[in-house]
Amino acid sequence: MSRREFQFREGASHKFWAITVDGKQFTVEFGRAGTKGQAQTKKFASEAAAQEAADKLIAEKTKKGYAEVGAAAVKAAAPAPTPTPAKPKKKAKATEPEAPPPAPSQPAAPTAAVTPVITRAIELDPEDWHRATWRPRQPLPRPSSLPSVAGLPDLSRELGREGISAKDFLALLDDQELVQKSGTAHTEITSWIGRHLFPYLPDRFLKDLRPLLKPHLSPAQWPTDYYKRPAMAFFLAALCGMHAEVLAVVVSLPDDRYGRQDWDDYYHMPQQMVFGLGDAKLVEHHMRRLKLRLRRPEHIRAWLAHTELSCLDYVRDSIQQETNKDEARKTFEIFALVKAPEAAPYMLELKLSSKVPMLARQWLDDNLGNSLAGLIPTASGRGKLAEAALDYLRDAKQRGYADFIAEQLKSAAPEVAAKIRQDVLERVEVVHEAFEDDYAAPAWLRTALTSAGKASALPNWVRTTNLPALTVGERRLNDGQVGWVLAALRQSPLGQPTPLVKAINEHIDPAVRDAFAWKVFDLWMGEGAPPKEKWALLAVGHLGGDASALKLTPLLRAWPGENQHQRAVTGLECLRTIGSDTALMQLNGIAQKLKFQGLKKKAQEFMEAIATDRGMSRTQLEDRIVPDLDLDERGTRVFDFGSRQFTVVLDGDLKPVVRDESGKLKSDLPKPGAKDDADKANAALADWKILKKQLREVIKVQAYRLEQTMITSRRWNIQEFEQLLVHHPLMINLVRRLVWGGYDKKGKLVRTFRVTEEQEYADAKDERATLDGLATAGIVHPLHLSEDERTAWGQVFGDYEIIPPFPQLGRPVFALEPDEMKASEITRFGQVKIPAPALMGTMEKLGWTRGSGDDHGVIVEFLKQFPAADATAILENEDGIMLGGMDYSGDQKIKRCFFLKGMYTPVSYPYHKNLPPLKDIDPLAISEVLADLHTLASKGK
C-alpha cells in the first residue's frame, strides 16, 4: 500500500489532495486544508491497472499546480513538479470562486485497439447440427453420463441405456401415467431426446424405430384442440428423419392455424415438426407460412442448424417479439453464437428495439470486424437503422479503424462505397480544443462547477469520450468538466436543476446540449434502461430540445405496451419540461390520440395544467403551441448551399419537397458540389433532416386537429383567425387547402371563402373576398353547403389542384331514416359483428373515447362530444370488451347509439334513460355519427 499527498495554494485558497493505492483499488481524498474533506474509492481489474490510473491522476494534479508534501515527496526519484504560479487577481475579484473538487470517477475508456477480424462461423454444439436430419449423419461418441429430464430421472436412465431396442424404447415412452405424474410434457421429453440421446444413437436404431412410429403419424391424428398435446410419436418422427410423414402433417396445417394469438402454438409446439422436414427451404417456408416464433433457445439452435446465415431475420423477429426480458436473454445468447457480418444489422436492430439491447451492444463490440463489415451496406441506406449504422462507423473511424473500413469498401457495391466514403471516411469532424483547466473556462462555468456537490462514480455505460462535445464558442468542456455535468444531471429532479445544469442550459447552444442529452439517453437505453439510472431519461427533459422531443415521442407511445407505463409518464414530464412548441405539440398529440388510456389521461392532465398556468383554455393553448419550424410568413424556408439556394414547399400530399432556383421540385436536397460552401451545405443538410421529421409530425397532428374543429363546429374570432392560422408560417399550408365559413355574431353563415397563395381571400367565383362584417371564422362542414356551392368550390379546387388535408367537400353526408325521426336510438347496425380489437381501434381512430367500464372493468360504451350541438353521442356495444383480455372478448355487436344533452362524463356501470329524440339533435352531429357507424360496419362480418 502506498500513499501520496499534495497541496495547492492560490490566493486565499488552500486545498489538499491525497491518493492511497492498495492492491487493485485506490482511494482519493480531497478538500480544503485543515478539514476532513471527502473520499472516493475505485476498484480495478488488476493491481497494474490501479497503479496506472493513479499515476495518471497524479500527473493531472501536478500539471494543475498541486505540490507533493510529506515523506513521499522527499523519497521521490524525481523532484516534485514546480507549482503553477497563481494567477494574479485584481482586488475587485477577490471573491472569484475556487476550483471545484476532482470530477466524479469515470469508467476507463479502452486503451488498446482491437484488431478487427472477419469470421463466418456459427458456434453451435455438435449435437445441434443433428436437428437438421437431412444432413449426412455421423453419430457422436456417447458421453459417460446423460443429464436427466426434469422430474423423470428413472426414465432418463432407461432411455439412455446402451443397447436398448427401439421397441423397448417406445414402451418406456408409452407410460402416460408416469409422464402425467411428473408434469413433464411430451415436448420437453422429446427435446431432451433430440439433444441428449439421438445424436449418439446408431443408424440401425433409427431404422428400427421408424416403422414402429409410422402407424401413429396420420395428419388426421394431429389435435384440433389448442390445449391437447400431440402424441409423442409425431415429435419422434421429426427427430429420426421421417421426412415424408412429417411433411404430410405439416402441409395439412392451415396458414392461420397458429400465430393469431401469442399462445396458439404453446401446447402443440409445431416448431418441432417443422424442424423435422427434409431440407432448409421447406423448413423456412413452413415456419414463415405458419407464423411460428422461435420461442426457445433450442428453436434458435435448430433454425441455425437448418438455415445457417440465410434467414437470420427470423431470429431477430422472434427476439423482438419476446416481451419477457429473461426469455429474450436466453434466446439471444444462442443468436450470439453467430459470428459473421450477416448478423451485424440484426444485432444493431436488437440494440435499438428489444429487451436485450445491452447484449446486442456487447456482440457488436466483441465482434468488431464482423460489425464494421456487416454494417457498411446498412449505413448506405435510409431510415433509423441506417443512421445508427452510420453512427457506429463514424465512432469506429474516430477510434482508429478508418483503414479497416476503407479496405472493406473495396469489395462493396460502387454506390455503397461512394456513400460511406463521403459520409464516414471523408466526413470532416469539427475538433474543439478542450479547456486546459477550470481557470481557462468562462466565469459562469467556473462558478457553476464550484457549486457542484458530492458525487459518486459514474456508471460504466457512460464515458465522456463517447459523448458529443459540450462546446462554448471554439472550445469544449474537458472530460473532468463533462463528468461534473453528468454528476449534476444525476442529482437534478425535473423542474429543479442544479446550478450547473441550469448554467449549461443558459450558456450552451440548444442543438449542442440536445445532441448531448440524447446520446446519454441512447446509451442508457442501450444498457437496458436500468431504472436506478433513470436520470439519463430526465437529462432529455433538462437539456433536450425539439429533435429529442420528436425522437422520444414514438418511444413513450410504445412503452405502456411493454409494461413501462411509469417510464412513459416520466417521458411525458420530459416533454413538458422541454416546453417548446414542438414538445408541447407532441404532448398534445398523445392527449388526443393514444390507445393506452392511462398515459392518454395523464397527457390530458398535463395539457390542462399548462393551459391553466397560462390563463387560457385547452383549445387556446393548442392554437398557440404550433411550432413555426423557422418557416417564413408564406410557409416556406430557404436552405443555402452558398452557390445555390433551395426553397422548401409542401407538395400535394403535404410532404416537404425542395424547389431549386430553376423551379424544379426535388424530393430531397442534393449532395453538396465542388462549388458549394461546405459548411453552409452541411448545416443545411442537417437542418433539412430535422425539418422533414418535424413537418411530418406537425402536419399529422394539425390536420387531425383541424378536422375535429370542423366536426365540432369550432369558431375563431377574426383577429385570432388571421393571427393564429392565416399568418402562421406552418398553419397557412393547411389553411389554404380548405373552404372557410364567415359567421355573424349570432353564428349564422354569411359567406364562404378560401385563403389564396398570396394570403388574401377569394370566393367560389375566384373573386376577391373580405372578412368585413364577420364576427368569427371556421371550417365549413359540407352539410352547411348547398349542392351548387359544393360543386362550385370543387371546381375551384380542381382548377388550382388543391388537395385538402382531410375530406371536406367530398365528405359523405348522412341523415336519419324516416322511422328514426321518431326514435331516440339508432339501432340499424345491430346485426353487424365486429371483432373486439377492430372495434376498439376503429373507435379510437375516429375520435371516440372509451367509457370507464362497468363494475367488472368491461368496456360497454364509447362516447364522442359535440360542444356546438351541446350533445354527446354514446355507442353501446353488446357483451363488452375486457381490457385485460381483448383477444378473448369475442365479436361485439352495436347494441344502440343515442345522444345525451350536454358534455357527458363517463361513469362506472352506466345507465341511461330519458334520452332526447334524435330529431332534436344537430344534423351535423347526426351526420358525423352515422358516418362513423358506417365506417365501423365496414370492419364487421
Side-chain angles (χ1 to χ4, degrees):
M1 182 173 70
S2 63
R3 175 181 173 85
R4 297 178 68 177
E5 299 179 16
F6 300 80
Q7 290 188 3
F8 178 87
R9 288 179 181 272
E10 182 181 27
S13 176
H14 184 192
K15 297 180 291 186
F16 77 93
W17 184 84
I19 185 167
T20 303
V21 180
D22 186 4
K24 298 180 181 180
Q25 67 180 29
F26 65 63
T27 300
V28 172
E29 300 165 74
F30 57 88
R32 293 184 180 180
T35 68
K36 184 178 180 180
Q38 303 177 48
Q40 294 179 350
T41 298
K42 186 172 182 181
K43 297 181 179 180
F44 296 82
S46 66
E47 293 182 4
Q51 187 62 55
E52 181 181 354
D55 292 340
K56 184 178 179 181
L57 282 177
I58 291 170
E60 291 176 356
K61 287 299 173 184
T62 55
K63 184 178 180 181
K64 290 182 178 181
Y66 279 77
E68 190 163 12
V69 297
V74 177
K75 294 179 181 179
T82 304
T84 302
K87 295 188 177 182
K89 295 184 180 180
K90 297 179 181 179
K91 290 183 179 180
K93 295 186 178 181
T95 58
E96 184 175 3
E98 63 181 86
S105 58
Q106 302 171 33
T111 56
V114 177
T115 302
V117 176
I118 296 178
T119 60
R120 278 188 170 79
I122 304 177
E123 298 176 351
L124 295 176
D125 296 335
E127 293 86 350
D128 296 327
W129 296 103
H130 280 253
R131 286 301 283 115
T133 56
W134 48 270
R135 294 183 183 276
R137 187 173 187 274
Q138 182 64 43
L140 300 175
R142 179 185 287 269
S144 58
S145 62
L146 298 176
S148 297
V149 179
L152 298 172
D154 294 337
L155 179 63
S156 306
R157 270 193 307 273
E158 287 299 310
L159 289 174
R161 178 165 48 84
E162 192 165 3
I164 188 173
S165 69
K167 186 175 181 181
D168 291 342
F169 184 87
L170 282 183
L172 287 169
L173 294 175
D174 197 37
D175 189 348
Q176 297 300 309
E177 184 178 354
L178 177 63
V179 172
Q180 292 173 3
K181 279 183 180 180
S182 71
T184 304
H186 293 175
T187 49
E188 301 297 331
I189 296 173
T190 50
S191 293
W192 178 87
I193 292 171
R195 179 165 182 78
H196 299 295
L197 196 57
F198 270 33
Y200 315 114
L201 294 175
D203 290 339
R204 65 176 181 276
F205 177 88
L206 301 183
K207 184 178 180 181
D208 292 342
L209 183 61
R210 290 177 186 128
L212 299 176
L213 294 173
K214 193 167 184 177
H216 309 286
L217 301 179
S218 167
Q221 293 175 281
W222 187 265
T224 56
D225 186 337
Y226 282 108
Y227 299 97
K228 184 178 180 181
R229 298 186 185 277
M232 195 174 294
F234 287 105
F235 302 126
L236 293 174
L239 291 174
C240 65
M242 300 180 70
H243 300 140
E245 292 79 2
V246 171
L247 179 61
V249 174
V250 172
V251 298
S252 72
L253 300 175
D255 292 356
D256 61 351
R257 183 70 177 88
Y258 304 102
R260 289 179 297 179
Q261 311 292 343
D262 184 60
W263 49 268
D264 278 353
D265 61 345
Y266 180 79
Y267 290 96
H268 291 186
M269 207 54 71
Q271 293 91 335
Q272 306 279 46
M273 293 297 289
V274 176
F275 291 139
L277 293 173
D279 63 55
K281 291 295 184 183
L282 279 173
V283 171
E284 179 194 355
H285 168 71
H286 288 290
M287 284 290 285
R288 294 184 188 275
R289 177 181 71 84
L290 294 170
K291 301 179 179 64
L292 299 175
R293 274 175 51 191
L294 304 173
R295 292 184 174 277
R296 304 178 177 185
E298 67 193 67
H299 292 168
I300 308 287
R301 290 179 181 275
W303 181 259
L304 294 175
H306 279 284
T307 63
E308 301 186 42
L309 301 177
S310 65
C311 301
L312 298 181
D313 63 303
Y314 209 70
V315 183
R316 171 209 59 198
D317 293 345
S318 294
I319 296 174
Q320 282 184 324
Q321 293 170 36
E322 182 54 68
T323 58
N324 182 283
K325 189 173 183 179
D326 289 337
E327 294 302 317
R329 176 185 56 78
K330 292 176 184 177
T331 50
F332 180 88
E333 287 173 351
I334 308 305
F335 188 24
L337 299 175
V338 179
K339 307 295 174 64
E342 288 83 352
Y346 306 123
M347 293 296 181
L348 185 59
E349 284 189 78
L350 294 175
K351 176 181 177 292
L352 297 176
S353 58
S354 76
K355 290 292 184 180
V356 287
M358 179 173 59
L359 297 178
R361 174 185 58 77
Q362 190 65 51
W363 187 97
L364 291 166
D365 292 343
D366 292 345
N367 296 270
L368 183 60
N370 293 330
S371 298
L372 295 175
L375 292 179
I376 285 174
T378 304
S380 68
R382 291 179 177 271
K384 181 180 178 181
L385 188 64
E387 292 175 8
L390 267 177
D391 287 342
Y392 188 90
L393 294 177
R394 287 167 179 167
D395 180 67
K397 173 196 169 186
Q398 292 295 100
R399 290 187 287 142
Y401 297 109
D403 290 343
F404 182 84
I405 296 173
E407 185 64 28
Q408 302 311 305
L409 295 183
K410 293 179 180 179
S411 57
E415 63 275 11
V416 172
K419 180 172 176 57
I420 300 304
R421 285 193 190 95
Q422 176 181 317
D423 293 346
V424 179
L425 299 181
E426 298 170 2
R427 186 172 187 259
V428 178
E429 303 287 348
V430 178
V431 179
H432 296 86
E433 185 179 351
F435 293 119
E436 182 178 349
D437 53 33
D438 297 325
Y439 293 107
W444 65 264
L445 181 57
R446 297 199 305 273
T447 301
L449 286 170
T450 304
S451 68
K454 183 179 179 181
S456 57
L458 295 171
N460 60 9
W461 49 266
V462 58
R463 299 189 185 99
T464 56
T465 53
N466 288 349
L467 298 173
L470 284 174
T471 56
V472 181
E474 298 300 317
R475 304 291 290 274
R476 66 174 175 85
L477 274 64
N478 61 40
D479 288 350
Q481 292 162 346
V482 173
W484 271 116
V485 172
L486 295 172
L489 286 169
R490 297 181 82 188
Q491 300 166 5
S492 297
L494 282 178
Q496 302 175 44
T498 63
L500 179 53
V501 173
K502 187 175 180 180
I504 295 295
N505 249 320
E506 292 173 352
H507 294 281
I508 289 186
D509 182 78
V512 171
R513 49 184 167 79
D514 180 277
F516 180 87
W518 187 259
K519 184 62 176 181
V520 171
F521 168 77
D522 190 50
L523 291 171
W524 176 67
M525 288 292 289
E527 192 68 12
K532 67 178 182 179
E533 303 289 352
K534 74 172 185 177
W535 63 271
L537 171 56
L538 303 187
V540 175
H542 286 301
L543 303 180
D546 288 351
S548 286
L550 289 169
K551 289 184 286 189
L552 179 62
T553 301
L555 297 177
L556 61 90
R557 280 180 173 272
W559 282 339
E562 301 170 1
N563 296 320
Q564 294 294 344
H565 170 79
Q566 192 52 53
R567 187 197 295 171
V569 171
T570 303
L572 291 182
E573 293 172 345
C574 289
L575 292 178
R576 181 177 179 179
T577 303
I578 292 172
S580 67
D581 290 344
T582 295
L584 294 185
M585 190 199 69
Q586 296 299 309
L587 180 60
N588 189 50
I590 293 171
Q592 290 177 335
K593 289 181 67 176
L594 189 72
K595 65 180 179 179
F596 302 111
Q597 295 301 300
L599 191 64
K600 180 180 179 181
K601 183 178 180 181
K602 182 62 69 174
Q604 291 170 344
E605 291 173 1
F606 285 173
M607 290 300 298
E608 295 291 349
I610 295 168
T612 300
D613 291 343
R614 298 190 182 186
M616 58 182 67
S617 70
R618 169 85 174 274
T619 54
Q620 288 175 322
L621 174 64
E622 291 173 352
D623 285 337
R624 288 160 176 80
I625 62 173
V626 182
D628 60 26
L629 306 184
D630 290 329
L631 302 176
D632 61 24
E633 67 278 0
R634 296 177 66 87
T636 63
R637 179 171 166 182
V638 175
F639 286 100
D640 187 8
F641 274 36
S643 63
R644 298 179 290 169
Q645 286 75 42
F646 303 89
T647 302
V648 176
V649 296
L650 298 183
D651 65 11
D653 295 324
L654 291 170
K655 294 179 181 178
V657 294
V658 291
R659 179 185 290 126
D660 63 19
E661 292 167 317
S662 68
K664 186 177 180 180
L665 292 178
K666 302 175 181 292
S667 62
D668 211 345
L669 282 176
K671 294 181 180 179
K675 297 182 180 180
D676 293 322
D677 183 306
D679 291 339
K680 287 185 176 181
N682 288 331
L685 287 168
D687 290 343
W688 165 245
K689 186 177 178 181
I690 294 175
L691 179 63
K692 285 194 295 182
K693 293 180 180 179
Q694 289 178 311
L695 277 172
R696 183 169 58 248
E697 288 299 314
V698 175
I699 293 296
K700 180 172 64 177
V701 170
Q702 296 307 317
Y704 175 80
R705 189 170 73 92
L706 287 178
E707 183 177 19
Q708 295 308 303
T709 66
M710 182 189 71
I711 293 171
T712 58
S713 302
R714 187 191 167 195
R715 309 282 184 254
W716 289 265
N717 66 49
I718 295 302
Q719 180 182 355
E720 289 180 331
F721 171 67
E722 294 201 291
Q723 176 187 349
L724 301 175
L725 298 175
V726 177
H727 296 297
H728 189 284
L730 186 139
M731 293 303 293
I732 184 59
N733 287 286
L734 297 169
V735 167
R736 58 189 175 213
R737 295 166 183 257
L738 296 164
V739 178
W740 292 84
Y743 303 83
D744 62 18
K745 293 181 179 179
K746 295 182 179 180
K748 181 181 178 182
L749 179 63
V750 176
R751 69 180 72 99
T752 58
F753 62 91
R754 72 179 180 91
V755 182
T756 68
E757 291 280 345
E758 295 74 25
Q759 290 173 297
E760 297 176 347
Y761 307 107
D763 60 20
K765 296 179 181 179
D766 210 19
E767 296 178 353
R768 187 173 182 274
T770 71
L771 305 184
D772 296 344
L774 300 177
T776 60
I779 303 172
V780 67
H781 193 281
L783 187 69
H784 297 152
L785 297 174
S786 67
E787 184 65 32
D788 289 343
E789 288 174 316
R790 290 198 293 269
T791 300
W793 275 117
Q795 183 65 47
V796 170
F797 276 41
D799 290 344
Y800 283 98
E801 298 182 345
I802 297 173
I803 302 175
F806 54 83
Q808 186 190 18
L809 294 174
R811 194 180 195 86
V813 175
F814 296 91
L816 295 170
E817 294 180 347
D819 59 333
E820 291 171 336
M821 295 293 291
K822 302 176 182 179
S824 57
E825 301 175 359
I826 299 172
T827 59
R828 63 170 113 153
F829 299 93
Q831 299 306 311
V832 178
K833 292 183 178 181
I834 306 167
L839 174 63
M840 184 72 75
T842 303
M843 294 302 280
E844 291 178 348
K845 184 177 180 181
L846 293 172
W848 292 68
T849 302
R850 69 178 70 163
S852 57
D854 62 15
D855 54 0
H856 298 293
V858 176
I859 300 301
V860 294
E861 69 174 19
F862 296 83
L863 60 129
K864 191 171 191 177
Q865 295 179 340
F866 294 87
D870 190 32
T872 301
I874 307 290
L875 180 144
E876 288 186 354
N877 52 297
E878 201 168 76
D879 296 330
I881 301 174
M882 296 183 292
L883 289 180
M886 192 181 304
D887 293 333
Y888 309 107
S889 297
D891 294 339
Q892 301 288 306
K893 283 187 177 182
I894 303 173
K895 185 177 180 181
R896 60 175 181 162
C897 187
F898 54 89
F899 289 82
L900 299 177
K901 298 298 290 183
M903 300 296 98
Y904 166 70
T905 301
V907 296
S908 60
Y909 204 75
Y911 179 74
H912 306 292
K913 58 182 180 178
N914 300 324
L915 306 179
L918 294 173
K919 63 182 178 60
D920 292 346
I921 304 301
D922 187 332
L924 188 155
I926 291 289
S927 178
E928 288 296 324
V929 167
L930 286 172
D932 289 349
L933 290 174
H934 278 283
T935 299
L936 198 60
S938 69
K939 310 289 184 181
K941 299 178 179 179

